[in-house]
Amino acid sequence: MARILVTSLPFGGHVGPMSAVAAELARRGHDVTAHTGAKYRGRFEAAGARWLPWTAAQDFDDARLADTFPRVGDGKGIRANFANFTDVLVGTAAGQAADILAAAPFDLLVTDQLAFGGALAGERLGVAWATVAVIPLTLASRDLPPPGVPVRMSTGRAARWRNALLWQPLLLANRLAIEPRIGRIRAATGLGPAAVRGPDGLYSPHLVLAQGAPGLDYPRSDLPAHVHYVGRLAPPAAPVGDPVGDRPAWWGDLAAARAAGRPVVHVTQGTLDVDPADLLRPALEGLADAPVLVVCTTGGAPADVLGPLPDNARAAPFLPHDELLPLVDVVVSNAGWGGTLAALAAGVPMVVAGATLDKPEVARRVAWSGAGIDLRTGTPRPARVRAAVTRVLGEPRMRERAAELGAALAAAGGVPRAGDLVEELLA
């Protein structure tokens, strides 16, 4: 039995995969401690882990992020994205590391890719540590444009020249704005300059568990050998028919629609960017008189935040994806990585409208993979949503491609494969 620390930023989209990994390691008999915010203590304790609170690290509620970090504001735009990096990710990292170092020793750390303090603590402790990529892999590659640059993926010599040119301003920005901040948090943790410059230096050199699968991520000829695609990291689905929570009174409408040959469209904005004016309301308006059943989730807000619903729409704060998605024909989302993996794991094609943080990168990958349509905005007009849904429903190849990616995600092994790789690192 090893003493293992699992770290997770207190965001719902991070807690899902990290708690699934924690549960698997606890099931294998390891002594697991989870370092995360108070809001998600129960999720990790239910997974069999002890809770290590954010004490030196500034804790926060992901549903009210601007209350703790005012510069993040509504989370939209370049300034908000930069504030999220500097204030939330970098700003809490030294405190995260201090919490972990105070609770040491550990035999191994399994760290959320964006919980930078876990990477710093692993290096400071001198123990092996693994990175879990909770968003698409951002490691630099000569084959790819820089993360966040809105260009389409392409291959060949001309693309490599283009990529090299695009990297130049980003490398300059790293040297001027990012590396000094990372250097300061390294110094605060008792570390010298990083062996690898920039954000790539916060990935583990020992093991990276990347959610996803080849075909959903871009091909890289220089992918390091210690990077492994492990599919979707999620708890096992409950057996069919098991009571896993209350169902809305309209739940039976899903099966009835399917039986009548009426497509079901699921619309969601996940749990972070949940302003219904961005996507939920435009989708409801655009699909109001379409021959489909629209099922919305509000990310925890009361369903009436949407206002009066069209006759062909239903809504709930949350619904269990493992039961809902097998009944769905198209998912319309704002391109959260966890929700995207869930949809494709179920073989459901997508319409994606991502605008903040990693979401544009997710949206580009969905379109590049052939499993859906990228609307290339986070606030689409109702007519664009309707046209995209109509196109997905009318092109069987998108559903076929989603099914192929679902099979690839399953073949990658998921949580059991992640557990195997962590134990190999321990050995």
Side-chain angles (χ1 to χ4, degrees), residues 145-400:
V149 176
V151 298
R152 296 186 184 277
M153 171 64 185
S154 57
T155 58
R157 182 177 297 178
R160 284 193 176 181
W161 278 104
R162 179 203 67 180
N163 295 339
L165 290 173
L166 290 173
W167 271 103
Q168 294 311 306
L170 185 64
L171 292 173
L172 177 62
N174 270 334
R175 286 195 295 271
L176 296 178
I178 303 303
E179 290 175 14
R181 288 175 167 84
I182 293 176
R184 287 194 287 273
I185 62 173
R186 289 182 63 84
T189 311
L191 297 169
V196 178
R197 299 176 67 176
D200 277 14
L202 295 165
Y203 279 91
S204 168
H206 312 290
L207 173 63
V208 176
L209 305 173
Q211 288 197 98
L216 182 56
D217 199 0
Y218 302 135
R220 305 162 184 252
S221 61
D222 52 359
L223 186 71
H226 67 281
V227 178
H228 299 267
Y229 289 102
V230 293
R232 179 187 176 215
L233 297 178
V240 175
D242 274 18
V244 293
D246 293 335
R247 296 290 167 269
W250 51 259
W251 184 258
D253 294 350
L254 291 163
R258 297 282 285 184
R262 186 182 181 194
V264 176
V265 179
H266 174 42
V267 186
T268 176
Q269 288 181 215
T271 57
L272 186 58
D273 297 321
V274 293
D275 182 349
D278 290 347
L279 180 60
L280 294 177
R281 289 183 186 139
L284 287 168
E285 181 181 343
L287 297 169
D289 60 349
V292 299
L293 177 65
V294 181
V295 177
C296 290
T297 50
T298 60
D304 59 13
V305 72
L306 298 173
L309 295 176
D311 291 341
N312 68 338
R314 310 289 184 268
F318 291 109
L319 292 169
H321 268 162
D322 290 322
E323 292 191 27
L324 173 65
L325 291 173
L327 304 173
V328 168
D329 296 281
V330 182
V331 168
V332 179
S333 88
N334 65 347
W337 191 224
T340 296
L341 292 173
L344 295 177
V348 183
M350 305 187 72
V351 173
V352 282
T356 62
L357 303 174
D358 62 300
K359 292 178 175 62
E361 283 293 330
V362 175
R364 283 191 281 272
R365 282 163 169 78
V366 169
W368 176 83
S369 75
I373 294 173
D374 175 11
L375 296 179
R376 306 184 74 177
T377 177
T379 54
R381 294 183 181 276
R384 286 195 66 192
V385 178
R386 179 175 180 134
V389 168
T390 300
R391 180 182 163 195
V392 171
L393 289 172
E395 294 187 13
R397 180 55 188 154
M398 290 192 190
R399 175 166 285 278
E400 293 167 3

Side-chain angles (χ1 to χ4, degrees), residues 60-212:
F60 58 87
D61 181 344
D62 56 338
R64 304 175 61 87
L65 192 59
D67 289 357
T68 306
F69 305 103
R71 294 199 303 169
V72 172
D74 63 3
K76 300 175 183 178
I78 294 174
R79 289 185 178 180
N81 284 350
F82 190 69
N84 190 286
F85 179 82
T86 57
D87 299 4
V88 184
L89 305 188
V90 174
T92 65
Q96 295 171 42
D99 289 339
I100 295 166
L101 293 172
F106 298 102
D107 300 305
L108 181 79
L109 275 62
V110 181
T111 67
D112 172 349
Q113 158 196 10
L114 297 178
F116 295 157
L120 300 174
E123 189 176 344
R124 183 72 174 83
L125 290 170
V127 299
W129 51 285
T131 297
V132 177
V134 296
I135 63 173
L137 200 62
T138 60
L139 282 169
S141 168
R142 63 174 175 264
D143 298 321
L144 307 185
V149 176
V151 298
R152 296 186 184 277
M153 171 64 185
S154 57
T155 58
R157 182 177 297 178
R160 284 193 176 181
W161 278 104
R162 179 203 67 180
N163 295 339
L165 290 173
L166 290 173
W167 271 103
Q168 294 311 306
L170 185 64
L171 292 173
L172 177 62
N174 270 334
R175 286 195 295 271
L176 296 178
I178 303 303
E179 290 175 14
R181 288 175 167 84
I182 293 176
R184 287 194 287 273
I185 62 173
R186 289 182 63 84
T189 311
L191 297 169
V196 178
R197 299 176 67 176
D200 277 14
L202 295 165
Y203 279 91
S204 168
H206 312 290
L207 173 63
V208 176
L209 305 173
Q211 288 197 98

